[in-house]
């Protein structure tokens, strides 16, 4: 039986909000919507899972760790191409904390990802080698979850990677774009929206 549902709230952290190290335009404006989704999920006895981007200070996705490379350039890592970012969501920093207004107390699980300095993790299910698991699939299976709904930051990176992995793993997937905002680097938003539609993911609202 896999008739339970889970709400996955992806990376609603200060560094992805205006004023943060990797600010997403309007990132903080989703918080009231996300809080409603959290409250509604709790009332419907659905699981609420929050993910948190949680990098060591020397993380290899940081441009600062690559001599001569600036943020938003791309390097080739052993596991494939990797976009380089400004230092962000460093473990224990104020930027890595959840947005102060996020209703984080009722979540059953807080999943931290991106902790291996050698490997980035956009998806809440698999790291960027597409092999190393975070354990989320096992957790959801243990709780008989068959459907997941996603909101959070950023639409075209961690939300889309998580949603696409969830669809590949056989979950029924909904992304509520009213609770998401995008980075939109080199057309990434358009291409990820179309990839999600192709994968049979239900998109609610406008990006
Ligand atoms: C994210 C880039 C780098 C995200 C995390 O949460 O979408 N994007 N790390
Ligand atoms: Zn990151």
């Amino acid at each position: 039986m896999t008739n339970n549902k889970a709400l996955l709230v992806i990376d609603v952290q200060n560094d992805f909000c205006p004023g943060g190290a990797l600010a997403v335009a309007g990132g903080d404006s989703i918080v009231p919507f996300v809080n409603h989704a959290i409250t509604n999920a709790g009332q419907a006895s659905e699981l609420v899972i929050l993910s948190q981007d949680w990098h060591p200070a020397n993380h290899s996705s940081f441009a600062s760790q690559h001599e001569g490379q600036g943020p938003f350039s791309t390097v080739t890592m052993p596991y494939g191409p990797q976009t380089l970012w400004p230092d962000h969501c460093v473990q224990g920093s104020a930027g890595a904390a959840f947005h102060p207004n996020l209703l984080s107390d009722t979540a059953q699980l807080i999943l931290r990802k991106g902790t291996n300095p050698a490997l980035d993790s956009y998806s809440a299910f698999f790291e960027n080698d597409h092999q190393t698991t975070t354990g989320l699939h096992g957790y959801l299976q243990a709780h008989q979850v068959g459907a997941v709904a996603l909101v959070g930051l950023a639409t075209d990176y961690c939300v889309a990677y998580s949603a696409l992995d969830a669809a590949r793993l056989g979950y029924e997937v909904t992304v509520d774009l009213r609770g998401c905002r995008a980075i939109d680097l080199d057309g990434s938003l358009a291409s990820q929206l179309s990839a999600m539609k192709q994968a049979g993911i239900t998109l609610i609202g406008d990006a």
Side-chain angles (χ1 to χ4, degrees), residues 68-86:
Q69 299 287 341
F72 311 109
S73 62
T74 305
V75 293
T76 305
M77 301 289 271
Y79 54 84
Q82 170 69 47
T83 303
L84 298 180
W85 304 104

Side-chain angles (χ1 to χ4, degrees), residues 67-152:
E67 218 179 308
Q69 299 287 341
F72 311 109
S73 62
T74 305
V75 293
T76 305
M77 301 289 271
Y79 54 84
Q82 170 69 47
T83 303
L84 298 180
W85 304 104
D87 292 18
H88 65 278
C89 297
V90 173
Q91 296 171 352
S93 67
F98 290 122
H99 185 285
N101 296 343
L102 182 70
L103 291 179
S104 59
D105 287 347
T106 57
Q108 282 83 5
L109 177 69
I110 294 177
L111 179 94
R112 288 173 168 171
K113 61 184 179 62
T115 60
N116 179 342
L119 184 55
D120 204 4
S121 189
Y122 295 149
S123 164
F125 290 92
F126 293 100
E127 303 197 42
N128 284 9
D129 62 358
H130 302 295
Q131 280 177 2
T132 308
T133 176
T134 63
L136 181 57
H137 182 42
Y139 179 91
L140 294 174
Q141 285 180 310
H143 289 273
Q144 286 89 46
V145 170
V148 294
L150 292 93
V151 289

Side-chain angles (χ1 to χ4, degrees), residues 10-13 16 22 24 51-53 55 61-62 82-83 85-86 88-89 113 120-122 152-160 181 183:
I10 305 295
D11 300 2
V12 182
Q13 293 168 260
F16 298 122
L22 179 40
V24 178
S51 74
Q52 206 170 12
D53 210 38
H55 300 308
S61 75
F62 296 170
Q82 170 69 47
T83 303
W85 304 104
H88 65 278
C89 297
K113 61 184 179 62
D120 204 4
S121 189
Y122 295 149
L153 304 170
T155 318
D156 44 346
Y157 285 92
C158 292
V159 174
R181 290 294 182 276
I183 295 174

